[in-house]
Amino acid sequence: MSDWIDSGGRLARPRIANGTWARRAGRVMVSLGLMMLVLAAAVQIARARDPDGRYANSPLKEWFDGLRSGKGPCCSDADGSAVSDVDWESKDGHYRVRLDGAWVDVPDEAVVTEPNRVGRAMVWPIKSYMGVTIRCFMPGSMT
């Protein structure tokens, strides 16, 4: 038995060396957690739409690369995807798009005013922790 136990807890308890180890372990765990979050964010940013180069020789590649809205180049921060006719609409002079089952209003400055060479509606969404924003939207012909 120790003096502390014999004294009924009235004497000062000896400092446990593991206290500093526990603090260090806590800091290491927090650091590892932050590194994992940064890594997960980097993977999402680095994800490419054309990893094997299959679209590099497309006749529309240069046209897509040059598409811009009032928010800037469409293909710079987001990957575009075709939208079915039932998943976009014009209402009261503004567009909206259904993404992941929810309707998202398209800001007027995100609308591409250039003629659509593809024919189908396309959207370039940016997904973040704050939700989905539309970088570019190009209405289709609705045929």
Side-chain angles (χ1 to χ4, degrees), residues 1-2 12 38 48 51 65 73 88 124 126 128 139:
M1 282 217 257
S2 69
V38 168
D65 288 344
W88 72 278
W124 285 261
I126 297 177
S128 70

Side-chain angles (χ1 to χ4, degrees), residues 16-138:
I16 299 172
N18 289 346
T20 56
W21 180 86
R23 276 190 294 254
R24 282 188 204 150
R27 286 186 205 134
V28 168
M29 294 301 287
V30 168
S31 296
L32 285 174
L34 288 174
M35 286 190 326
M36 293 299 287
L37 285 173
V38 168
L39 181 62
V43 167
Q44 287 293 331
I45 291 169
R47 186 179 60 157
R49 195 66 169 203
D50 190 17
D52 56 2
R54 77 177 89 168
Y55 302 113
N57 296 325
S58 168
L60 293 177
K61 182 182 181 334
E62 286 186 35
W63 177 73
F64 272 114
D65 288 344
L67 281 178
R68 299 180 65 82
S69 72
K71 291 184 155 200
C74 295
C75 294
S76 65
D77 294 330
D79 290 327
S81 55
V83 181
S84 300
D85 287 342
V86 296
D87 289 331
W88 72 278
E89 66 183 12
S90 176
K91 185 175 182 182
D92 299 326
H94 301 283
Y95 293 105
R96 65 185 200 150
V97 182
R98 186 176 14 223
L99 298 171
D100 298 328
W103 286 99
V104 179
D105 291 325
V106 176
D108 291 337
E109 65 270 9
V111 177
V112 176
T113 56
E114 185 173 329
N116 185 340
R117 292 188 188 179
V118 179
R120 296 188 68 186
M122 294 201 62
V123 65
W124 285 261
I126 297 177
K127 298 177 182 179
S128 70
Y129 69 95
M130 295 182 65
V132 177
T133 58
I134 306 295
R135 174 76 176 195
C136 295
F137 174 74
M138 186 169 42

